[in-house]
């Protein structure tokens, strides 16, 4: 979507959702976002009460895929939880938000 950007897979669903699958540049980047997703599952549970991992793996186990929508919710949790999550990641809340923004702008917008 951005001229000169890396390859990505953009898809649409029958219900009208639009999604994008983007590759990570390094194993460290993947592990960072995977750990962020794990913390977000615990700190920001779904409203319906259903377990996030069982929902994502309903039809087949999910491997080597990070839920970007869940990671994007980092900015919506309160500041104390953001600090806790960022401390576990060895970063500051600003740095985590910056990495999310960098990933988002690398492929779209």
């Amino acid at each position: 979507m951005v001229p000169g950007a890396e390859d990505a897979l953009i898809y649409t669903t029958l219900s009208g959702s639009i999604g994008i699958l983007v590759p990570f540049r390094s194993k460290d980047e993947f592990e960072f976002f995977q750990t962020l997703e794990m913390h977000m599952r615990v700190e920001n549970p779904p409203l319906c009460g259903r377990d996030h991992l069982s929902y994502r793996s309903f039809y087949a186990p999910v491997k080597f895929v990070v839920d970007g929508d869940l990671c994007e919710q980092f900015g919506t949790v309160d500041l104390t939880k953001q600090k806790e999550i960022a401390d576990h990641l060895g970063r500051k809340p600003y740095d985590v938000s910056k990495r999310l923004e960098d990933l988002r702008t690398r492929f779209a917008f």
Side-chain angles (χ1 to χ4, degrees), residues 1 5-11 19-23 106-108:
M1 294 190 58
E6 298 174 25
D7 291 337
L9 179 65
I10 300 172
Y11 65 91
I20 184 169
L21 296 171
V22 298
R106 190 166 66 203
F107 291 95

Side-chain angles (χ1 to χ4, degrees):
M1 294 190 58
V2 176
E6 298 174 25
D7 291 337
L9 179 65
I10 300 172
Y11 65 91
T12 60
T13 65
L14 293 175
S15 62
S17 297
I18 300 173
I20 184 169
L21 296 171
V22 298
F24 290 111
R25 289 184 175 167
S26 66
K27 186 175 180 177
D28 291 335
E29 186 179 41
F30 170 73
E31 289 173 352
F32 173 82
F33 284 106
Q34 187 178 36
T35 306
L36 176 61
E37 178 190 30
M38 180 188 66
H39 285 291
M40 290 303 298
R41 274 191 215 131
V42 174
E43 297 296 334
N44 197 18
L47 294 174
C48 64
R50 190 171 180 188
D51 180 46
H52 180 263
L53 192 56
S54 66
Y55 169 74
R56 287 192 60 218
S57 300
F58 187 76
Y59 294 107
V62 177
K63 294 181 181 179
F64 306 113
V65 176
V66 176
D67 188 346
D69 289 335
L70 185 61
C71 291
E72 285 285 338
Q73 292 178 7
F74 176 78
T76 64
V77 297
D78 60 58
L79 193 56
T80 57
K81 286 186 179 183
Q82 283 184 10
K83 287 181 182 177
E84 288 176 18
I85 294 169
D87 286 343
H88 285 140
L89 294 170
R91 310 231 183 230
K92 295 184 179 189
Y94 171 78
D95 296 332
V96 175
S97 297
K98 180 71 173 143
R99 284 194 77 169
L100 285 165
E101 182 181 338
D102 290 344
L103 183 65
R104 187 181 329 114
T105 57
R106 190 166 66 203
F107 291 95
F109 312 117

